[in-house]
Every structure is written in structure tokens, then in C-alpha cells.
Amino acid sequence: MGRIFTVDFSFEGRQYTAFVKITTASDLFSVHIQVPDTTLHHLIPNGTIMYKSTEGLSSLQRETNGPSYELISRIVQAIERYLEQ
């Protein structure tokens, strides 16, 4: 089963939107996040974050720095708020 939705989040005083796809099947769980604003792609390569329950966070291939973690945290918080509704 899957869900596709958008979330709005703030980062460094600006508002952004992310596209989210959550897929679940049996014991597998995955989240695909696409951030279309190219001004954030230096923190998230290609604007893509991918999490799979079998592999963990696999989209960030290089060492993630503080601002990248902060950005990911803001997006995850927005997703959590959306899912709580």
C-alpha cells in the first residue's frame, strides 16, 4: 500500500514544499522524499531522500553535515505532523 502527499516545512527562515511517497508491504517500509527547490540540492543531492527499513537512509552518499541533518529533521517533523492528522 502506498501514500503520496506534499508537506510544507520551514528551513532557515523560508518555506519549502516536499513531495513524499510512503510505501508499506508486509515487513517492508520505505519513504521517498523529493525536494524540488534546487537551492537546497547542495544539502540533499538531487533533492532526494530515500529511507528503506531494510537498508536505512541510503540517498545521502557523502558524509552529511549539520545543515543537511537540520534540513532532514525539518522535513521529517513536517511528515510526522501530517501523519498525525
Side-chain angles (χ1 to χ4, degrees):
M1 176 185 286
R3 291 177 76 175
I4 299 173
F5 55 92
T6 61
V7 293
D8 295 322
F9 63 95
S10 62
F11 179 70
E12 295 183 344
R14 289 191 54 207
Q15 287 292 116
Y16 300 94
T17 298
F19 301 104
V20 182
K21 179 181 176 185
I22 298 176
T23 307
T24 56
S26 300
D27 294 338
L28 303 175
F29 174 79
S30 68
V31 180
H32 179 265
I33 302 166
Q34 182 66 42
V35 180
D37 193 316
T38 58
T39 63
L40 298 175
H41 290 192
H42 68 285
L43 296 173
I44 299 174
N46 299 316
T48 301
I49 303 168
M50 178 63 101
Y51 172 84
K52 293 182 181 180
S53 59
T54 57
E55 300 172 20
L57 189 62
S58 61
S59 64
L60 302 177
Q61 299 168 353
R62 59 191 160 112
E63 186 175 324
T64 306
N65 59 29
S68 294
Y69 277 123
E70 179 64 25
L71 175 56
I72 293 168
S73 176
R74 296 291 181 100
I75 296 168
V76 168
Q77 289 170 2
I79 293 169
E80 289 173 342
R81 283 191 301 273
Y82 178 88
L83 294 175
E84 288 175 354
Q85 298 177 1

